[in-house]
Amino acid sequence: MRVIRSVRSIQQFIKKAKLAGKTVGFVPTMGALHDGHRSLLRRCRRENDIVVLSVFVNPGQFGPKEDFAKYPRREQTDKKLAKKEKVDIMFLPSVKEMYPGGYLTYIDVEKMTRVLCGKSRPGHFKGVTTVVGKLLNIVMPDTLYLGQKDAQQAAALTRMTRDLNFPVIVKICPTVREADGLAMSSRNQYLTERARGEAAVLYRSLKEGRQSVIAGNHSVTAIICKIRSRITRESSGRIDYVECVDAGTVMPLKKIQGKTMIALAVWFGKTRLIDNIIVHA
Ligand code: PAF
């Protein structure tokens, strides 16, 4: 595995690989790699000649009161995991390499980034789309692999690649869960033991919501109410939102129909967890 830190070097490497007819798959991350990332890397490995993993804690997607400084950085353990998963290139740029002085250009996917997490994290998705747009221009992959856990991010990035004609296929891979159903996330390690136990209610409540839709309940209010009351009953979590949205556009629905995503964000102490489930109504 080669560790590359400069934009110029990785672009040279990728250009050569492409001239040699190799396919390039790309998994962008902020590090603190876990089994969710591992499943993206495995799929990427199966489907491409060259696997590129980026690890970059992107300051542009953290709000002023968010956890940028404290976000876990685990370069050595990430490298070990990447080697095990047969990554070819680990791209580890510095903030200066990605945002040199005088930086002024941003990508903003409108509308769909203003709902759900966009309400409580203004500017977050602009940071995500900008950095991933830059990474796509740097890595020039044939295929980009993203996780379904960050469904709004995946939807916005898919929209961006279509709207701006990035020549890349976006593949969204299933959420990987702990044994009790909690979606894997680098932020789970912030949870206290008590909160970690309680957080399993998120997936339990989403499954209950989905069951209710399958049983014929298509009322958005009723489904949201059911999920909210279960979370409140079984945990000390503070609900940011529970919403039923169109799975493609992530825009809120008045009535549950078609491919619907039930999505939620809940605070446990200072840690905000997100999760979602898809149901066809
Ligand atoms: O999901 C993440 O880890 C980040 O938002 C991403 C896509 C790597 C952009 O910084």
Side-chain angles (χ1 to χ4, degrees):
M1 181 178 83
R2 283 182 61 170
V3 174
I4 298 184
R5 295 180 194 269
S6 93
V7 169
R8 227 183 120 98
S9 309
I10 191 165
Q11 280 179 327
Q12 276 170 358
F13 180 94
I14 299 287
K15 271 183 196 154
K16 269 192 205 147
K18 291 213 148 177
L19 275 174
K22 310 261 191 222
T23 57
V24 177
F26 177 42
V27 180
T29 77
M30 296 206 299
L33 302 177
H34 50 67
D35 284 357
H37 298 116
R38 204 189 280 262
S39 80
L40 299 178
L41 289 170
R42 286 191 178 162
R43 179 152 180 211
C44 187
R45 180 70 283 166
R46 279 200 305 277
E47 298 180 354
N48 297 276
D49 298 321
I50 306 281
V51 172
V52 180
L53 161 73
S54 68
V55 172
F56 178 62
V57 184
N58 171 34
Q61 68 190 76
F62 290 80
K65 289 189 185 143
E66 292 184 353
D67 55 347
F68 173 67
K70 127 167 189 269
Y71 196 84
R73 287 153 172 93
R74 311 252 186 280
E75 192 174 312
Q76 292 316 316
T77 42
D78 286 351
K79 272 187 193 156
K80 276 189 200 145
L81 184 144
K83 264 191 198 157
K84 247 192 189 162
E85 296 307 328
K86 302 187 176 65
V87 166
D88 296 295
I89 304 290
M90 188 169 177
F91 181 48
L92 278 165
S94 64
V95 172
K96 222 171 150 198
E97 184 70 8
M98 290 299 282
Y99 299 106
Y103 191 88
L104 287 174
T105 309
Y106 298 89
I107 301 175
D108 186 18
V109 176
E110 297 180 347
K111 220 167 148 183
M112 65 196 300
T113 61
R114 309 299 195 257
V115 295
L116 304 178
C117 294
K119 280 191 198 160
S120 52
R121 302 190 73 190
H124 165 69
F125 289 110
K126 190 171 163 190
V128 171
T129 46
T130 299
V131 81
V132 176
K134 280 170 68 63
L135 287 167
L136 290 176
N137 283 332
I138 293 165
V139 176
M140 297 172 278
D142 299 284
T143 310
L144 168 67
Y145 295 85
L146 300 168
Q148 170 66 22
K149 197 211 54 135
D150 297 303
Q152 190 175 11
Q153 164 173 288
L157 290 172
T158 304
R159 185 78 262 160
M160 174 191 83
T161 59
R162 289 188 189 152
D163 288 354
L164 297 182
N165 305 99
F166 280 90
V168 69
I169 295 166
V170 181
K171 292 195 177 169
I172 300 169
C173 308
T175 303
V176 179
R177 298 182 180 281
E178 303 283 357
D180 64 359
L182 178 65
M184 291 209 181
S185 161
S186 306
R187 288 193 168 97
N188 290 351
Q189 59 194 276
Y190 298 154
L191 298 169
T192 61
E193 203 178 319
R194 179 176 165 213
R196 170 61 194 84
E198 289 183 358
V201 73
L202 303 184
Y203 190 49
R204 274 203 306 278
S205 68
L206 285 170
K207 282 196 296 187
E208 189 185 0
R210 180 175 62 186
Q211 260 329 103
S212 193
V213 176
I214 292 168
N217 188 348
H218 291 181
S219 154
V220 167
T221 322
I223 298 298
I224 291 177
C225 212
K226 206 180 248 299
I227 293 174
R228 291 186 78 102
S229 52
R230 181 151 198 184
I231 294 170
T232 312
R233 219 170 41 239
E234 296 180 16
S235 79
S236 56
R238 253 182 324 111
I239 298 172
D240 178 359
Y241 67 76
V242 178
E243 294 205 36
C244 297
V245 300
D246 177 281
T249 65
V250 304
M251 297 311 281
L253 293 170
K254 289 208 172 77
K255 193 174 185 321
I256 295 176
Q257 54 190 356
K259 192 174 173 190
T260 299
M261 179 167 73
I262 313 174
L264 53 75
V266 176
W267 288 96
F268 286 88
K270 288 187 178 158
T271 306
R272 185 174 171 279
L273 300 180
I274 58 171
D275 203 353
N276 66 82
I277 205 165
I278 301 288
V279 60
H280 298 265

